Amino acid sequence: MGHTIPDTLKMLIDNGVVIPSPLSVEIGGEVDPGRIARGVTIYPGCRIYGKKTIVMSGTKLGAEAPVTIQDCQIGPDVELKGGFFKKSVFLAKSNMAYGAHVRDACILEEEANGAHTVGLKQTILLPFVTLGSLINFCDCMMSGGTSRKDHSEVGSSYIHFNYTPNQDKATPSLIGDVSRGVMLNQRPIFLGGQGGLVGPAKIGFGTVIAAGTVFRGSLYEDAKIVYGQEPSCAVRDFKPGIYWEIDTRVKNNIIYIANLISLKAWYRHVRKLFSGPDPLEQALFEGAVEKLDMALDERIKRFKALAEKMPESISQYTSVMKDAASSSLISKKQGLADNWKQAESAFDSLRSFSGDDNLRETFLSMIVREMEERGTPYIETIQGLKEDTRTRGTAWLQGIVDEVNSRIMENLPMFA
């Protein structure tokens, strides 16, 4: 019995898409064939869905195992070698190996990559960041490093712990930062294998967390090393919903959201300069900005859920502690609950904040001048920036972070 190749697959093959076994490949009827470029290779068993999906030239899908794509924007020369990929963006030369599970609102920037069996969701990896095998790394942003040979790394069998016994996910971790990380001139961060990071954490550039360490804390300064064993286990009564400490949780959530807003400004004003007139390039850029908005939605939603738990937390806490209850902790919890609506409104008003106009425009003019002098693509241009240009750009982006922090603290003064 003969088999007929579907019209969509015929069209793709005629347009220069390499499909060695077309009868094993499924393309959803909603997918626009014109958004899968000449020079893409789709190996046997792959499934591609979603009207927002684009796949740019040189990309290879399914080289190690079948791949399922749903509403992803995939840039040039990307390799997704096996697994499931949904509502995420992959910029040039990023890659993921067999067994990947990459879900909503992930961005893998240029040459970011993961070995086999990596799970990501709400994860942003700046250029060159490398993940080993058997990793769960959701709800975090990581940067650091200057090139593919000098990159931040997460060792195999690592976990970012993003869900608490109190059943909340107000736990995003910022590993590096945006204002310096995007300049591609910072020392790499190393998170050693067989370890974990308990969110929400803030980790500085140049930091090493030794293999086998589960780190429960933040390192706001750069170039620290964490090693050795933690204290032995202790057992005590568990009282769900109390939240014995919320300062760090609140402050690190604000810092994380501020960095998302800063990164969105970087995309809207700097990366946009490198997005050419080609419709697929435009769709890739728009997809990345959309994912940043999705990330902001998620973080504000999770922060709100935490705030809404505070009245019950106060009740549980005072019931257990009675006269020994800390009035300061109660005041902070009550303040978060009472002032959340104002803080949420401030977050919403700042989502597209672009910082100081003079700093931004001066920096952009410097970027344009260097682009014209070099004629290089994004990565090479940023790597080659003069130090004064980088300094001006970092000041602009950090100003956004500082302003967001300041505006939110006006509404949550008990945490200032």
Side-chain angles (χ1 to χ4, degrees), residues 91-110:
L91 301 186
K93 297 183 181 180
S94 58
N95 70 84
M96 294 293 288
Y98 165 79
H101 196 248
V102 179
R103 294 175 289 158
D104 300 25
C106 291
I107 300 175
L108 273 68
E109 293 194 346
E110 289 83 355

Side-chain angles (χ1 to χ4, degrees), residues 178 257-270 289 292-293 296 345-361 395-408:
V178 169
I257 293 171
N259 274 265
L260 282 175
I261 292 170
S262 183
L263 185 58
K264 183 179 174 183
W266 178 261
Y267 268 79
R268 291 174 57 237
H269 295 285
V270 177
V289 174
L292 290 170
D293 278 323
L296 283 166
S345 178
F347 276 131
D348 287 339
S349 70
L350 290 163
R351 290 174 70 111
S352 295
F353 180 57
S354 293
D356 182 271
D357 291 342
N358 289 332
L359 269 176
R360 184 185 68 250
E361 293 307 316
W396 163 52
L397 293 171
Q398 188 59 44
I400 294 173
V401 173
D402 293 343
E403 179 65 17
V404 173
N405 272 279
S406 176
R407 293 272 294 276
I408 300 305

Side-chain angles (χ1 to χ4, degrees), residues 17 74 125 138 146 177 179 203 210 218 233 271 352 370 386 406:
V17 177
I74 304 171
L125 305 179
C138 302
T146 61
D177 62 42
S179 61
I203 304 297
S218 289
C233 295
R271 277 194 175 268
S352 295
E370 297 205 28
K386 297 181 178 67
S406 176

Side-chain angles (χ1 to χ4, degrees), residues 52-101:
K52 292 186 177 182
T53 290
I54 68 161
V55 188
M56 295 180 68
S57 183
T59 285
K60 297 178 180 179
L61 303 177
E64 296 179 347
V67 157
T68 299
I69 302 292
Q70 183 176 333
D71 279 317
C72 289
Q73 295 78 48
I74 304 171
D77 302 313
V78 171
E79 293 189 53
L80 303 181
K81 299 175 183 178
F84 177 78
F85 306 89
K86 178 185 177 186
K87 293 183 179 178
S88 293
V89 167
F90 303 86
L91 301 186
K93 297 183 181 180
S94 58
N95 70 84
M96 294 293 288
Y98 165 79
H101 196 248

Side-chain angles (χ1 to χ4, degrees), residues 98-160:
Y98 165 79
H101 196 248
V102 179
R103 294 175 289 158
D104 300 25
C106 291
I107 300 175
L108 273 68
E109 293 194 346
E110 289 83 355
E111 298 186 60
N113 64 97
H116 71 81
T117 323
V118 172
L120 306 177
K121 184 181 181 185
Q122 299 285 337
T123 302
I124 299 172
L125 305 179
L126 270 62
F128 317 123
V129 173
T130 296
L131 309 180
S133 303
L134 303 168
I135 285 173
N136 190 319
F137 208 59
C138 302
D139 292 304
C140 49
M141 182 193 305
M142 188 169 187
S143 56
T146 61
S147 70
R148 187 66 192 87
K149 294 182 178 180
D150 176 46
H151 58 266
S152 288
E153 173 129 3
V154 180
S156 294
S157 300
Y158 202 87
I159 298 175
H160 176 246

